[in-house]
């Protein structure tokens, strides 16, 4: 979508980090923006900090894990701004890693937010975008954790792999309809993702805090350090904006050699396994 000024964006996880940066970037180019988030106080503060863009910026409380909540938030957007054109399914939570240390409740929470939340956004807004026919673009936030298994066996990686796959499939199906899809795969970004437990609903039980001396605890400490030294979310938002305008499927925010090497290693292992089968079969 080249012409974005005057169009409307709906952004989840908009009270913090990447979602907030996306919202501010959209507002700055003259879009109407509905910020959606589960954390009410942070959402109110985020909307207030964008008061210069009133009345084009609003907020709505929304739990992306609950399809009815996403439907209500969508209705609030239509009432406030009319048709929605850009949907950023961005809300996400981190939930630890390890072979046998992740509780089933944590798996459910991470999958419900990171995967089902994206699905609920697509299911809610796609019929609306198709019906209004004014064009649209869907941005799904995955992660580099959706491209390689650097985090090991983890609910987070599993959810993000699924978001990459869903986005690739959706892009193929929506291209003939003129609706774009972008999957955002950031490396480390300076946000509050490492404090995700702050808004973990009670139904998923208490947040698991790994023993700092354990392998999982050391990994969390290292990742938090890398996150704090990460990219500014505003840079990520600028890359997403360019991808919407150019209708690009992938946004890799960190094209550096280390990230590339991990991908090459994965793809090489997959191709080598296929070649081995082929040679066994004499192909
Ligand atoms: N920060 C990074 O290094 C990094 C890297 C790769 C991918 N990501 C992804 O970026 C996205 C945004 O995360 P962030 O880094 O800005 O973290 P963040 O914690 O700063 O922001 C996430 C926002 O999502 C909201 N949220 C959590 N659960 C929700 C729910 N059920 N419904 C609605 N909103 C909910 C939080 O309240 C918060 O405002 C996530 O999908 C995350 O997985 C982040």
């Amino acid at each position: 979508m080249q012409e974005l000024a005057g169009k409307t964006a709906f952004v989840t996880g908009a009270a913090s980090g990447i979602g907030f940066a996306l919202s501010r970037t959209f507002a700055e180019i003259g879009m109407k923006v509905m910020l959606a988030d589960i954390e009410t106080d942070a959402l109110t503060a985020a909307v207030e900090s964008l008061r210069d863009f009133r009345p084009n910026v609003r907020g709505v409380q929304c739990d992306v894990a609950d399809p009815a909540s996403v439907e209500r938030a969508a209705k609030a957007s239509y009432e406030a701004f009319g048709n929605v054109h850009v949907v950023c399914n961005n809300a996400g939570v981190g939930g630890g890693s390890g072979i046998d240390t992740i509780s089933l409740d944590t798996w459910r929470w991470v999958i419900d937010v990171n995967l089902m939340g994206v699905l609920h956004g697509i299911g809610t807004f796609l019929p609306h975008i198709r019906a209004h026919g004014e064009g649209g673009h869907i941005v799904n936030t995955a992660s580099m954790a959706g491209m390689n298994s650097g985090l090991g066996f983890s609910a987070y990686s599993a959810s993000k792999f699924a978001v990459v796959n869903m986005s690739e499939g959706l892009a193929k199906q929506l291209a003939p309809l003129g609706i774009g899809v972008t999957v955002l795969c950031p490396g480390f970004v300076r946000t509050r993702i490492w404090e995700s437990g702050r808004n973990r609903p009670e139904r998923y039980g208490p947040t698991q805090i790994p023993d700092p001396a354990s392998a999982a605890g050391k990994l969390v400490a290292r990742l938090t350090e890398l996150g704090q030294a990460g990219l500014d979310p505003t840079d990520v938002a600028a890359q997403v904006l360019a991808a919407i305008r150019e209708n690009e499927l992938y946004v890799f925010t960190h094209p550096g050699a280390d990230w590339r090497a991990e991908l090459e290693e994965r793809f090489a292992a997959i191709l080598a396994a296929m070649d081995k089968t082929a040679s066994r079969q004499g192909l």
Side-chain angles (χ1 to χ4, degrees):
M1 286 185 80
Q2 290 285 343
E3 290 305 320
L4 290 168
K7 299 268 186 355
T8 297
F10 178 89
V11 182
T12 68
S16 176
I18 295 171
F20 178 69
L22 285 169
S23 304
R24 195 180 48 211
T25 298
F26 292 147
E28 282 169 354
I29 60 156
M31 293 184 78
K32 292 173 257 181
V33 191
M34 182 61 89
L35 286 79
D37 204 285
I38 196 170
E39 201 178 357
T40 317
D41 291 351
L43 177 64
T44 306
V47 173
E48 177 56 22
S49 75
L50 298 178
R51 60 186 167 280
D52 288 354
F53 302 101
R54 274 186 200 140
N56 285 349
V57 168
R58 302 265 190 96
V60 63
Q61 204 270 348
C62 170
D63 178 358
V64 298
D66 173 6
S69 176
V70 179
E71 288 284 350
R72 282 195 295 276
K75 197 161 170 274
S77 305
Y78 308 148
E79 282 167 8
F81 299 130
N83 291 340
V84 171
H85 307 87
V86 173
V87 176
C88 297
N89 296 306
N90 167 77
V93 291
S97 66
I99 299 167
D100 49 14
T101 52
I102 317 168
S103 72
L104 280 179
D105 277 343
T106 294
W107 271 91
R108 290 195 179 101
W109 175 48
V110 173
I111 297 294
D112 279 355
V113 178
N114 294 8
L115 172 55
M116 299 309 288
V118 172
L119 183 66
H120 297 151
I122 295 167
T124 298
F125 284 99
L126 188 51
H128 164 79
I129 294 174
R130 293 178 71 163
H132 70 54
E134 297 170 359
H137 200 100
I138 295 173
V139 179
N140 297 326
T141 302
S143 168
M144 283 310 288
M147 300 300 298
N148 63 56
S149 308
L151 295 180
F153 177 74
S154 83
Y156 187 79
S157 267
S159 70
K160 297 300 188 179
F161 259 75
V163 172
V164 170
N165 177 278
M166 277 163 61
S167 306
E168 290 173 345
L170 192 66
K172 281 187 195 146
Q173 286 182 299
L174 294 186
L177 306 178
I179 301 170
V181 177
T182 291
V183 59
L184 170 60
C185 297
F188 294 104
V189 186
R190 218 159 47 239
T191 70
R192 294 187 66 199
I193 190 84
W194 313 106
E195 304 159 52
S196 292
R198 69 191 185 279
N199 40 45
R200 175 174 170 141
E202 270 177 28
R203 64 182 183 276
Y204 297 106
T207 298
Q208 286 179 279
I209 300 170
D211 174 356
S214 68
K218 284 179 186 154
L219 179 64
V220 169
R222 175 78 187 123
L223 292 174
T224 307
E225 214 175 273
L226 289 167
Q228 282 161 355
L231 200 63
D232 189 312
T234 306
D235 292 346
V236 176
Q239 295 187 47
V240 171
L241 181 61
I244 296 172
R245 286 189 165 135
E246 301 302 320
N247 193 17
E248 288 164 354
L249 174 57
Y250 301 105
V251 173
F252 293 113
T253 59
H254 294 58
D258 290 354
W259 298 98
R260 199 183 174 88
E262 283 192 30
L263 277 191
E264 281 170 350
E265 197 181 318
R266 174 163 178 258
F267 294 147
I270 291 169
L271 293 176
M274 291 184 87
D275 290 345
K276 197 167 175 184
T277 308
S279 74
R280 273 196 199 124
Q281 294 173 348
L283 298 173

